[in-house]
Amino acid sequence: MGSTQSFWKNVKQFVKRAGLCGMPLFLFACASTPAQQTTASDNAEPSSEQIETQSRQELANTDTANLPLTPELIYYILTAEIAGQRGEMGVAVDLYQRAAELVDSPELASRSAQVATFSRNQQRINRALERWIEVDPGDADVYIMQAPFLMLDGDYDGVVKAVDNALALEPDKAKVYLDRISENLSEMADPEQALSTLEQLQLFKQNHPAAHFAYARMAAFYKDYNKALATLDPLLAAAQNEDYLVLKAEILQRTNRADEGLNLLAKAAKHEDASNELRFTYGKLLGESGQIEEAREIFDALHAENPNNRDVLFALGLLALEEKNGQEAKSYFSQLLKVGDPTQQAAYFMGLAEELNGNIDAALVWYASVPAQSHRFDAAQTQYINLLAERGQIDKAREHLKLMRHEQPRRALQFYLFEAGFLREQSLPQAAFDLLTEALEQYPQNNEVLYSRAMVAESLDKLDVLEADLRMILAKEPDNAQALNALGYTLTDRTDRHQEALQLINKALQIKPGDPFYLDSLGWVYYRLGDLEKAEKYLREAIQIQPDVEFIAHLGEVLWEQGKKDEAMQVWQQGIKQDSDNKLLRETMRRYGK
């Protein structure tokens, strides 16, 4: 695969955030996802006068024509609003519920339900929604609002009933409602349940195109492409709808039928009435197929028509990065920052652009400015630390990671493990060992920390620590195949306890049959036991599944010891072609004078 194609394949990871409803734009969609709700600029509590004014405004926004504005009703509403402003959501919900039960007001019941959702209390939410349905059974929105809470209860028959009610009441909103329910299902249900729920809808049984399209998109989301195409093709046969074309092209691209996908969109994208979404998707597919110039032509045209379109700015910035044009990438991402970057990604890509421009100080600033809530945060931290390492500023990198542990205590364990891996890469195993020992003081008997320290201990010849850590894991999880294999391999490679190692490795393979790493370990223990035929057999099996260079190094050694020196050299040469700098392979060949 060429570098251009590789970029467009991997770039999905740069922007991958789109949910089910964003699938047609899954490459660039997150450049235009809604921004999070804004919060107050300070934490000052509003005055009682401000709260009362706002509360009265809430009441004014409610249809009061049929409301008996009794002192009791006004008291409940105003006090509920004040409680809500002060963060006392339970009080606010209960007071609004009392108000909603005093009068048969759809508006008041709706407000009560909306407030109830902020409490995250399932019982209160259900009660408020039931009251809303009771006073206004003809409002379709309440049923759509009710559906995700029914999902939380596992009541999918109730979900079907609620959605059917909404669709019957508002047939013109079928697409909007199906999109919302599909999004809820994709987040809360397993694939089988999600698809089954859509199949049970009356609209689906009546072969309504919107319901079948929602089903096809859901199937594609879960990578059941055969089912998605089987549902989508009849829709396309009946109407060349752009949404159908886009989804099918996306599926063809994902199933290695890119040319078919491009051909499907090519004619439609060049039509004068083609939507921007279809043209955008066509440009994206061109980019993923390595046709960068053709993709740029489409995105340039879209940019000329709407210079502030976030998705297009994002796409052009990525194209510039692919072409190693840091200045151009910087220009597009700067513009994206000006028009608004709701998904908070632009800073990360500005860092990449400045790296290309050789402005490392600027790149460090951009990486450091990526907010913790951005899904580029981890990638930005990695880039930041790596740049410091390249400058030899290891202490500064470690200080930064220590700061991250304090600023984000919920992710402190992740930063401990990240730093330990970083130190190992920098050939500082003792520092990594000491750090993981510190981590174990805060996270006693944590399996991830124990396993990581065991691996570092091996490189420091602390085999007693390695064995103790791995056995601590196995005491809690006797069927932890990874720990079984690691201990078995170490015992056979670094000690003479080969029979004990054989038992451990065999148990790991019973738990995960066919794992290539465990097969390599099994081959290696038989080699240590002197059974070269079995050693060769299992090592070849491992390589057939995954031609890892270290497996190749082991097989070459076994072949050499069998007197098959020419074949051993051929195997080792295969390994050199894959990774000429592999330490184990080089050391093995050096021991045999090669």
Side-chain angles (χ1 to χ4, degrees):
M1 181 181 291
S3 60
T4 299
Q5 290 171 297
S6 176
F7 176 84
W8 282 87
K9 292 292 182 185
N10 293 331
V11 83
K12 295 176 186 178
Q13 302 303 316
F14 290 170
V15 298
K16 189 175 181 183
R17 187 174 183 268
L20 181 61
C21 292
M23 279 174 51
L25 295 178
F26 77 101
L27 180 58
F28 300 112
C30 57
S32 62
T33 50
Q36 295 182 343
Q37 292 182 341
T38 56
T39 56
S41 58
D42 55 57
N43 295 321
E45 185 173 296
S47 67
S48 59
E49 292 80 4
Q50 290 174 318
I51 293 174
E52 185 167 346
T53 299
Q54 182 174 343
S55 301
R56 290 187 180 278
Q57 184 62 49
E58 294 289 348
L59 185 59
N61 289 336
T62 302
D63 183 0
T64 60
N66 298 316
L67 287 183
L69 294 179
T70 64
E72 184 180 18
L73 181 63
I74 293 173
Y75 169 79
Y76 282 149
I77 294 175
L78 295 181
T79 309
E81 289 294 330
I82 292 170
Q85 289 287 336
R86 291 175 173 169
E88 300 170 355
M89 295 311 302
V91 174
V93 171
D94 289 342
L95 289 170
Y96 251 117
Q97 182 66 30
R98 291 182 192 178
E101 289 172 352
L102 281 177
V103 292
D104 290 341
S105 165
E107 292 79 10
L108 195 52
S110 168
R111 175 66 176 162
S112 174
Q114 291 166 6
V115 172
T117 61
F118 291 112
S119 74
R120 299 184 181 181
N121 181 295
Q122 188 74 16
Q123 187 176 359
R124 284 172 167 149
I125 293 168
N126 288 341
R127 189 175 64 185
L129 288 170
E130 287 168 4
R131 177 58 179 162
W132 188 3
I133 292 172
E134 186 178 301
V135 299
D136 193 11
D139 189 334
D141 287 340
V142 65
Y143 298 105
I144 294 300
M145 187 174 178
Q146 185 186 35
F149 297 105
L150 292 170
M151 293 177 199
L152 285 173
D153 286 339
D155 183 5
Y156 286 95
D157 289 338
V159 173
V160 171
K161 182 179 178 181
V163 177
D164 278 344
N165 284 338
L167 293 171
L169 288 165
E170 294 281 3
D172 292 341
K173 291 184 178 180
K175 183 179 185 304
V176 174
Y177 286 163
L178 286 166
D179 280 351
R180 286 178 59 181
I181 294 306
S182 296
E183 190 73 26
N184 295 148
L185 287 168
S186 71
E187 294 173 352
M188 303 167 71
D190 61 55
E192 184 178 352
Q193 182 65 70
L195 291 169
S196 174
T197 301
L198 291 179
E199 286 176 323
Q200 293 176 58
L201 295 176
Q202 286 300 314
L203 225 55
F204 184 89
K205 294 176 180 178
Q206 294 163 7
N207 294 321
H208 192 289
H212 278 252
F213 178 66
Y215 182 87
R217 191 170 53 180
M218 181 76 79
F221 177 77
Y222 289 121
K223 299 182 180 180
D224 191 340
Y225 298 126
N226 291 332
K227 188 174 290 185
L229 289 174
T231 308
L232 195 56
D233 283 339
L235 294 175
L236 276 167
Q240 291 292 296
N241 180 293
E242 280 194 355
D243 289 339
Y244 306 163
L245 288 170
V246 167
L247 180 57
K248 182 168 183 178
E250 292 280 6
I251 293 171
L252 291 171
Q253 179 78 2
R254 296 179 209 177
T255 53
N256 299 316
R257 298 159 66 185
D259 290 344
E260 291 181 56
L262 287 170
N263 291 335
L264 185 67
L265 290 187
K267 184 176 180 180
K270 294 172 184 176
H271 195 277
E272 61 180 12
D273 294 332
S275 69
N276 287 347
E277 180 183 344
L278 188 142
R279 293 161 64 199
F280 184 92
T281 303
Y282 183 52
K284 174 181 70 68
L285 295 185
L286 285 168
E288 290 181 355
S289 299
Q291 301 179 51
I292 299 300
E293 288 305 318
E294 293 84 351
R296 176 177 288 282
E297 183 178 344
I298 290 174
F299 292 130
D300 280 340
L302 289 169
H303 181 55
E305 294 168 16
N306 186 355
N308 292 329
N309 183 287
R310 295 188 183 105
D311 290 334
V312 175
L313 288 170
F314 200 84
L316 287 168
L318 294 180
L319 280 172
L321 287 176
E322 161 61 23
E323 295 172 331
K324 308 298 182 185
N325 189 332
Q327 289 297 339
E328 187 174 296
K330 179 180 176 180
S331 173
Y332 286 122
F333 289 120
S334 294
Q335 191 175 345
L336 178 57
L337 285 166
K338 289 179 183 177
V339 300
D341 177 34
T343 58
Q344 301 177 315
Q345 295 188 90
Y348 171 73
F349 291 102
M350 284 289 284
L352 293 180
E354 292 292 25
E355 277 198 68
L356 282 174
N357 295 332
N359 299 328
I360 303 304
D361 287 333
L364 286 169
V365 170
W366 281 113
Y367 291 139
S369 70
V370 175
Q373 59 269 31
S374 169
H375 67 291
R376 300 289 170 209
F377 178 76
D378 289 347
Q381 298 308 304
T382 301
Q383 292 293 111
Y384 185 84
I385 295 302
N386 287 340
L387 285 179
L388 291 177
E390 289 174 9
R391 287 182 159 188
Q393 296 176 300
I394 305 299
D395 289 343
K396 186 174 181 180
R398 297 197 65 186
E399 193 62 35
H400 175 76
L401 291 170
K402 182 178 180 180
L403 179 64
M404 289 295 100
R405 292 199 296 273
H406 287 296
E407 289 185 352
Q408 300 188 53
R410 292 183 179 181
R411 301 185 66 195
L413 175 60
Q414 179 183 338
F415 285 112
Y416 268 121
L417 295 170
F418 177 84
E419 184 176 350
F422 166 71
L423 290 170
R424 291 186 69 184
E425 289 177 1
Q426 298 300 315
S427 300
L428 296 169
Q430 186 60 55
F433 182 88
D434 294 341
L435 179 72
L436 291 166
T437 300
E438 176 189 326
L440 278 172
E441 294 175 4
Q442 294 193 38
Y443 304 95
Q445 299 187 12
N446 179 276
N447 282 1
E448 288 183 279
V449 181
L450 286 167
Y451 188 85
S452 296
R453 190 174 72 164
M455 297 303 97
V456 178
E458 192 276 337
S459 66
L460 294 169
D461 294 326
K462 298 178 183 286
L463 300 188
D464 56 334
V465 176
L466 175 143
E467 183 169 356
D469 286 352
L470 293 177
R471 289 201 182 280
M472 188 174 292
I473 294 172
L474 292 171
K476 295 180 292 178
E477 299 180 9
D479 292 335
N480 188 311
Q482 187 180 35
L484 287 165
N485 178 68
L487 181 56
Y489 180 82
T490 303
L491 290 179
T492 198
D493 192 55
R494 303 291 301 274
T495 76
D496 58 1
R497 295 158 61 184
H498 305 313
Q499 288 294 342
E500 186 179 353
L502 180 61
Q503 292 178 3
L504 291 164
I505 295 166
N506 273 327
K507 185 174 180 181
L509 275 165
Q510 288 173 6
I511 297 166
K512 289 187 67 177
D515 185 288
F517 291 93
Y518 304 170
L519 287 169
D520 171 72
S521 297
L522 187 59
W524 199 239
V525 74
Y526 275 121
Y527 171 58
R528 294 296 197 191
L529 287 166
D531 192 336
L532 300 185
E533 288 186 8
K534 281 188 177 179
E536 180 183 349
K537 174 181 180 295
Y538 289 115
L539 288 170
R540 287 193 184 280
E541 284 184 23
I543 291 170
Q544 187 173 5
I545 297 170
Q546 181 173 321
D548 186 273
V549 176
E550 295 197 0
F551 304 169
I552 288 170
H554 287 161
L555 177 60
E557 182 166 343
V558 170
L559 291 171
W560 189 282
E561 291 295 336
Q562 288 178 302
K564 304 174 183 179
K565 297 183 179 180
D566 290 342
E567 190 174 355
M569 284 301 301
Q570 290 176 2
V571 168
W572 283 333
Q573 288 301 319
Q574 177 189 342
I576 288 174
K577 289 179 182 178
Q578 287 184 225
D579 183 3
S580 59
D581 296 323
N582 184 272
K583 183 179 179 181
L584 177 63
L585 179 60
R586 285 297 183 187
E587 287 181 354
T588 301
M589 294 179 70
R590 191 177 301 115
R591 278 192 285 108
Y592 289 97
K594 301 298 176 183

